Amino acid sequence: MAAEIVNPRSDHSKTHGAASADDISSADEPFDPAFALHRGGKMAVQATVPIRDKDDLSLAYTPGVAKVCSAIAENPELVHDYTWKSQVVAVVTDGTAVLGLGDIGPEASLPVMEGKAILFKQFGGVDAVPIALATTDADEIIETVVRLAPSFGGVNLEDISAPRCFEIERKLQERLDIPVFHDDQHGTAVVTLAALRNAAKLSGRTLGDLRAVISGAGAAGVAIAKFLLEAGIGDVAVADRKGIVSRDRDDLTDVKRELAELTNRAGLSGPLETALAGADVFIGVSGGTVPEPAVASMAPGAFVFAMANPNPEVHPDIAHKYAAVVATGRSDYPNQINNVLAFPGIFAGALQVRASRITEGMKIAAANALADVVGDELAADYVIPSPFDERVAPAVTAAVAAAARAEGVARR
């Protein structure tokens, strides 16, 4: 079915509306391959059964389909066996926090949502359907997704701005009995933890030995902080535009007040630079630029994970002067922190066992499996595997499925 991977130069793509240079450029503008690839979209629906004659038609549609519908009406659980429900994820956005583009609206978000869907298929064998909603109201988003949920085995929330994303995910988890996963939060956190585990292993330390500083208190920053604490990190402080999130601040949102209670055991206050002095780990999910002297003030053998795209908070050339391990969000540097390492396998594992939700234990299992893929190849420029490493998705899928069974959320 959905998210068929199509060669843009194939005959199929021509019927799908392949672009010519005249379609997307003028005499003053060069041909742009990005537009050529995107013309007509990046997805197609593909049947999984043939319809060659009237006998096939009578089985796939009427009258044969009526028997299946009646059986499901009598026993709703059969929907998992006789439809695609248990194999398909809704990729839902309101277009308010799209990549580095910000609030660009639902229509402009669709190329990203299509891209997400084909990544699900390519890297996890999971079908996905992009759904861009023409509302930014949290309650309307929640109600819409609840009403769509009977068609899907899981919901991947994508590019919804903070702090609304936290409420939307929480309320959907409360109301639905299928996995709900905000990838901007948890996918980033899973991959970050995997890379950090291996960086610590490489330096002969454990997570408990580390003090981390996170730049950015949006969806990713909050999720990473909570997840690292769940995994046992020694301490973590989070900084937003106004400085370290601490209990003595009176300008915090509800989400940041909760974060202040959970983090910053050292009781630091002031700007980001204050927190970085003597820190073992820097994690950037905010953009902006960290001054070189602040990086230089970190502890010997520090780790710098500067993940803003396209411009990391700390340029790798500067980070390498002071850090033992450097990671970015970019594919042209080693150690890319890329969510595609996590979300396809996490959903594949959850769907495989018909999990009712994705637990912290399942996410930690995913991070551990991802870290273990590196194995004996562990090195400063290889603490996280490539998204194209074919071992990744099967390892994450198996670990997540096993954790779901162990935690009692699996239904098969």
Side-chain angles (χ1 to χ4, degrees):
M1 151 0 253
E4 176 189 8
I5 307 300
V6 176
N7 182 336
R9 296 180 178 83
S10 70
D11 290 340
H12 176 92
S13 72
K14 291 176 183 177
T15 62
H16 205 49
S20 69
D22 291 338
D23 293 328
I24 56 176
S25 64
S26 69
D28 299 324
E29 297 179 27
F31 172 79
D32 191 327
F35 281 92
L37 183 143
H38 281 79
R39 179 164 289 279
K42 301 191 291 288
M43 298 174 58
V45 173
Q46 179 179 337
T48 60
V49 297
I51 301 180
R52 298 159 299 197
D53 51 37
K54 66 181 182 62
D55 291 332
D56 288 344
L57 182 60
S58 70
L59 287 174
Y61 199 54
T62 186
V65 73
K67 297 178 182 179
V68 180
C69 292
S70 297
I72 294 171
E74 293 180 11
N75 180 5
E77 285 300 305
L78 292 178
V79 70
H80 298 285
D81 297 311
Y82 294 108
T83 73
W84 75 338
K85 178 180 173 70
S86 285
Q87 305 169 61
V88 65
V89 171
V91 180
V92 179
T93 190
D94 64 357
T96 55
V98 181
L99 293 177
L101 303 173
D103 186 355
I104 60 174
E107 290 86 0
S109 76
L110 269 176
V112 177
M113 300 310 117
E114 288 183 4
K116 197 78 173 192
I118 65 175
L119 294 179
F120 265 109
K121 187 67 172 180
Q122 178 74 34
F123 293 100
V126 173
D127 291 320
V129 176
I131 298 175
L133 301 179
T135 179
T136 60
D137 181 86
D139 289 335
E140 290 183 355
I141 293 170
I142 292 163
E143 292 301 326
T144 301
V145 175
V146 167
R147 283 159 175 72
L148 289 170
S151 296
F152 298 98
V155 175
N156 183 86
L157 299 174
E158 189 74 21
D159 293 347
I160 298 173
S161 63
R164 295 173 310 116
C165 60
F166 303 114
E167 175 191 4
I168 291 168
E169 183 188 42
R170 176 176 56 81
K171 289 186 176 179
L172 284 174
Q173 287 175 333
E174 291 171 354
R175 294 183 60 179
L176 298 177
D177 66 346
I178 58 176
V180 178
F181 187 83
H182 185 207
D183 185 53
D184 300 320
Q185 294 184 59
H186 310 301
T188 308
V190 165
V191 182
T192 300
L193 175 60
L196 191 55
R197 279 198 185 281
N198 275 342
K201 180 180 179 181
L202 185 66
S203 65
R205 289 177 284 179
T206 67
L207 286 178
D209 298 324
L210 304 177
R211 179 171 72 85
V213 177
I214 299 173
S215 176
V222 170
I224 292 169
K226 290 182 176 180
F227 197 49
L228 292 182
L229 288 171
E230 181 77 19
I233 199 164
D235 194 10
V236 57
V238 181
D240 61 12
R241 291 183 180 88
K242 297 183 179 180
I244 301 167
V245 175
S246 57
R247 296 180 183 181
D248 60 354
R249 283 178 51 179
D250 59 6
D251 61 345
L252 300 178
T253 64
D254 290 343
V255 170
K256 291 180 183 179
R257 274 196 294 272
E258 179 191 9
L259 196 62
E261 293 296 323
L262 297 172
T263 62
N264 193 19
R265 294 166 183 162
L268 302 173
S269 60
L272 171 71
E273 290 83 351
T274 298
L276 279 177
D280 303 293
V281 184
F282 169 76
I283 297 171
V285 284
S286 65
T289 301
V290 177
E292 184 172 345
V295 181
S297 75
M298 295 178 68
F303 313 139
V304 171
F305 292 4
M307 298 187 287
N309 260 318
N311 300 311
E313 294 88 348
V314 182
H315 192 279
D317 291 345
I318 293 174
H320 278 297
K321 293 182 182 180
Y322 310 103
V325 176
V326 177
T328 72
R330 291 174 49 152
S331 60
D332 54 346
Y333 290 102
N335 296 327
Q336 184 190 20
I337 307 296
N338 190 328
N339 288 15
V340 77
L341 289 163
F343 69 81
I346 289 174
F347 267 101
L351 294 177
Q352 184 181 96
V353 298
R354 295 180 189 166
S356 58
R357 59 193 176 96
I358 294 172
T359 66
E360 291 300 298
M362 291 161 72
K363 290 183 285 184
I364 288 177
N368 291 342
L370 186 54
D372 288 344
V373 168
V374 172
D376 295 337
E377 301 171 74
L378 182 62
D381 62 353
Y382 187 57
V383 297
I384 198 76
S386 162
F388 295 98
D389 188 324
E390 295 182 354
R391 299 172 295 173
V392 168
V396 174
T397 299
V400 168
R405 291 189 177 103
E407 299 208 342
V409 298
R411 289 176 288 197
R412 75 168 182 183

